Amino acid sequence: MSGPPLRVAVLGAGVVGREVIRAFLERPEALRTADGAPLELVGVAVRDVQQAAEGGIPAHLLTDAPAHLVAAQATDIVVELMGGEEPARTILSAALGAGKSVVSANKLVLARHGAALEDAARRNGAFLRFEAAVGGGTPVLSPLAEGLGSDRLTRIRGIVNGTTNLLLTDMAERGTAYTDALRRAKRAGYAEADPASDVEGHDAAYKLVILARLGFGVWLDPDRVPRTGARADGEPGPAGILGVSPEDLAAATEAGLAIRLIARAELVRGGRIAAAVVPAAVPSGSAFGRTVGVGNRVEVEAAPIGRVAFEGPGAGGASTSSAILADLRAIARHAGSTWAGLAPARASADVAAFPAPRAGHLDAPSGARYPILD
Ligand SMILES: NC(=O)c1ccc[n+]([C@@H]2O[C@H](COP(=O)([O-])OP(=O)(O)OC[C@H]3O[C@@H](n4cnc5c(N)ncnc54)[C@H](OP(=O)(O)O)[C@@H]3O)[C@@H](O)[C@H]2O)c1
């Protein structure tokens, strides 16, 4: 290892944060690289200091003032694991503005404010890394930006929200209603008390915006990414998976198909990007059809390489911490931001519609019309 230690502040000690802190305390070798600077944990910001200390975080590291911790001279790198829009956004731009590198898993802030944050990072020579924002611990973003950096991407498709995938597969297997499946998922800790962000497709739309930034070089506006399915009568359906009925799932199974919430972005005519997060029918035997429960899968089509896929756990504290540690190691090695050597991205409010699917549609009993994706 080389150079003086880089001093790391972790903001938030919840499901993911506590696993990152545990790695620093219990397996520091996981943070060590052969050719990078050492990494040292110097502070942890939480809302309830006493509770965090009782949970085993050394008291001398704790503060309830994240903005102060970020501004402190003794902080070189900020790991943001608080979630939510504010104060996360303000704190992240302050860190980058001060030239401090940032690791964040916050897909909401990245999708909504990515263009401004990227600009701040580039202007101040700071690194911004966010591998955990898509696919949890499964590496997707760095491989896209680095491994496929010389390819021309034409299509991204993914099951990027484990909660909705669990609900859809549970409903299909048991033939039960959405409300029953949701109750079971909540009991098992796989759905939030307020599941709206997952089931209405917001979470998947944020992830798609981040994928599209790396794949297509634009920061799309997440509010312009359609999240409502179509109906055979031409009316829009409900958002996300809310219109998928057990009867629809049974009809799909009968036809050799499975319904999945697919986040997709594609290069279409005129160099525009089509994007949507809507339920779609996929062949039951396809890789997407076989992706069940909380699993995530992202497929990209690119030239000259062809189709490449990434699959793994999309959530969970321990698995997601692996992406955070990977980003920290990359910063220690001075490896740059998640967008690596890609050109600066522009913000774009333009989202094109998809052409009609080659394989047609499944018109389901509820009146929903699902595009069939091959
Ligand atoms: N969980 C996953 O599997 C997963 C996977 C990928 C990405 N992510 C992303 O990772 C981030 C963290 O998720 P998480 O599941 O770890 O959330 P979480 O369990 O709710 O943890 C967030 C922590 O941040 C603390 N916090 C919130 N606002 C704060 C503030 N203003 N000052 C100090 N502390 C504050 C919370 O304290 P209180 O408990 O007092 O509110 C909580 O301990 C989110 O952006 C999420 O989208 C999570």
Side-chain angles (χ1 to χ4, degrees):
M1 284 195 283
S2 57
L6 290 171
R7 297 158 299 178
V8 178
V10 176
L11 316 182
V15 173
V16 182
R18 86 169 75 95
E19 295 296 335
V20 173
I21 295 159
R22 183 174 295 159
F24 269 102
L25 300 176
E26 295 176 10
R27 46 184 191 105
E29 68 285 356
L31 275 308
R32 228 169 272 145
T33 56
D35 55 355
L39 292 158
E40 184 189 340
L41 181 64
V42 293
V44 176
V46 294
R47 254 200 275 256
D48 186 335
V49 166
Q50 196 183 334
Q51 194 186 34
E54 282 164 10
I57 300 175
H60 73 273
L61 293 175
L62 288 164
T63 171
D64 60 3
H68 283 101
L69 181 58
V70 167
Q73 220 169 4
T75 297
D76 300 310
I77 302 175
V78 174
V79 178
E80 187 273 308
L81 296 168
M82 298 185 296
E85 190 154 14
E86 291 294 352
R89 186 203 67 84
T90 302
I91 289 177
L92 292 193
S93 33
L96 295 168
K100 301 188 183 197
S101 290
V102 164
V103 177
S104 176
N106 195 327
K107 51 231 162 191
L108 184 159
V109 164
L110 285 155
R112 293 207 170 283
H113 307 286
L117 293 173
E118 176 171 345
D119 187 51
R122 288 185 186 274
R123 268 188 294 110
N124 295 288
F127 301 149
L128 172 57
R129 297 194 68 97
F130 43 90
E131 181 61 65
V134 180
T138 307
V140 180
L141 303 180
S142 287
L144 259 188
E146 294 185 43
L148 301 179
S150 66
D151 280 67
R152 180 172 180 269
L153 256 72
T154 50
R155 189 167 94 181
I156 301 172
R157 283 182 182 172
I159 293 174
V160 292
N161 182 273
T163 304
T164 44
N165 206 55
L166 175 69
L167 294 173
L168 290 175
T169 50
D170 190 40
M171 285 168 68
E173 273 163 27
R174 295 172 191 252
T176 54
Y178 164 77
T179 44
D180 296 331
L182 182 61
R183 200 174 310 120
R184 266 193 301 280
K186 280 187 182 175
R187 227 181 285 136
Y190 289 122
E192 308 267 340
D194 176 4
S197 176
D198 290 323
V199 301
E200 292 177 10
H202 297 283
D203 177 85
Y206 297 148
K207 291 167 176 168
L208 184 65
V209 165
I210 295 167
L211 285 164
R213 187 276 164 249
L214 297 169
F216 300 120
V218 287
W219 285 105
L220 299 175
D221 177 348
D223 291 336
R224 298 204 176 229
V225 175
R227 290 176 293 103
T228 50
R231 292 182 55 82
D233 60 11
E235 292 297 310
I241 64 162
L242 291 175
V244 183
S245 72
E247 293 75 24
D248 291 1
L249 291 159
T253 307
E254 185 82 0
L257 300 166
I259 295 174
R260 297 285 181 264
L261 184 66
I262 306 283
R264 49 192 185 121
E266 222 168 284
L267 198 55
V268 294
R269 212 183 300 176
R272 296 175 72 205
I273 309 297
V277 174
V278 293
V282 296
S284 304
S286 67
F288 279 133
R290 284 184 277 107
T291 302
V292 296
V294 293
N296 276 201
R297 179 181 176 87
V298 175
E299 289 182 0
V300 302
E301 300 262 341
I305 190 168
R307 185 176 294 187
V308 177
F310 308 90
E311 197 171 278
S319 57
T320 302
S321 74
S322 135
I324 302 290
L325 300 194
D327 277 347
L328 281 169
R329 291 166 60 96
I331 290 174
R333 301 183 64 239
H334 223 72
S337 297
T338 295
W339 51 76
L342 299 178
R346 58 189 170 84
S348 170
D350 178 40
V351 174
F354 282 96
R358 265 183 315 189
H361 290 92
L362 170 72
D363 284 329
S366 71
R369 165 168 281 193
Y370 300 99
I372 300 175
L373 304 182
D374 45 14

